[in-house]
Amino acid sequence: MVGRVYRTLSCMRYRRRRKHPIPVLKVTLYNVVGEKVAENLEVPVDTGYEGSIMLTADLYEAFQIAELPRSLWRTYKTLTGPITMRMARAIIEIDGMNIECLVESPLFGGGKLLVGREILNKLVIIMDGDRGELCLGEVCRSR
């Protein structure tokens, strides 16, 4: 068999920007005690970020109840130097699927919203730049 056939489950429009649109995933975030922290949050996809979800410092506060010990925090190498990230356990809901994950936010600074490879590698994603859509899908099984 050459190639694969995918079936689209749901699609989200890219977020418009001045120069280039940004692919986003619509997510709902829960802390470990089941409190809904953010609903239908459009989070930019970043294949260069190896973590699960990066959050702003304000949003991260709701997850501190399940913060990991500092010895388990990650440090990322960036062009501006190393950045230490606080980490906490969380649940992310994407298109009805619940995935346990770790949320991160810089120890110093405001942070930003990103979905990284730790989550992206658990999904089938179809990025249709021509249509400006990111779609969640599944591989169609041959008969």
Side-chain angles (χ1 to χ4, degrees):
M1 182 169 115
V2 177
R4 290 188 182 130
V5 176
Y6 295 92
R7 183 172 63 168
T8 301
L9 301 174
S10 65
C11 295
M12 290 139 277
R13 300 286 309 159
Y14 284 10
R15 186 183 298 161
R16 296 281 172 215
R17 287 291 185 233
R18 230 180 264 155
K19 289 188 178 185
H20 303 287
I22 300 170
V24 296
L25 277 173
K26 195 174 286 190
V27 305
T28 299
L29 296 171
Y30 299 88
N31 62 22
V32 294
V33 294
E35 297 170 333
K36 189 181 293 184
V37 176
E39 186 173 22
N40 293 324
L41 192 63
E42 289 188 0
V43 183
V45 169
D46 185 348
T47 60
Y49 167 51
E50 69 179 281
S52 291
I53 308 275
M54 186 185 303
L55 301 176
T56 61
D58 291 342
L59 197 51
Y60 180 82
E61 287 179 20
F63 297 94
Q64 286 180 316
I65 190 168
E67 190 167 75
L68 299 180
R70 190 175 182 136
S71 62
L72 297 176
W73 293 359
R74 295 177 182 157
T75 298
Y76 295 103
K77 294 178 184 175
T78 71
L79 293 174
T80 59
I83 297 178
T84 300
M85 304 292 276
R86 301 177 292 164
M87 297 176 66
R89 293 177 44 227
I91 304 291
I92 182 173
E93 181 184 334
I94 303 171
D95 200 38
M97 295 177 286
N98 289 335
I99 302 169
E100 286 188 48
C101 67
L102 296 170
V103 292
E104 299 180 290
S105 187
L107 180 58
F108 302 106
K112 57 180 159 180
L113 292 175
L114 295 175
V115 174
R117 292 192 312 263
E118 228 168 44
I119 293 293
L120 299 175
N121 287 337
K122 296 178 182 184
L123 304 170
V124 174
I125 296 176
I126 304 151
M127 292 175 59
D128 187 339
D130 190 44
R131 292 183 64 158
E133 291 181 331
L134 180 142
C135 300
L136 295 174
E138 65 183 6
V139 177
C140 294
R141 305 288 178 213
S142 59
R143 295 179 191 186

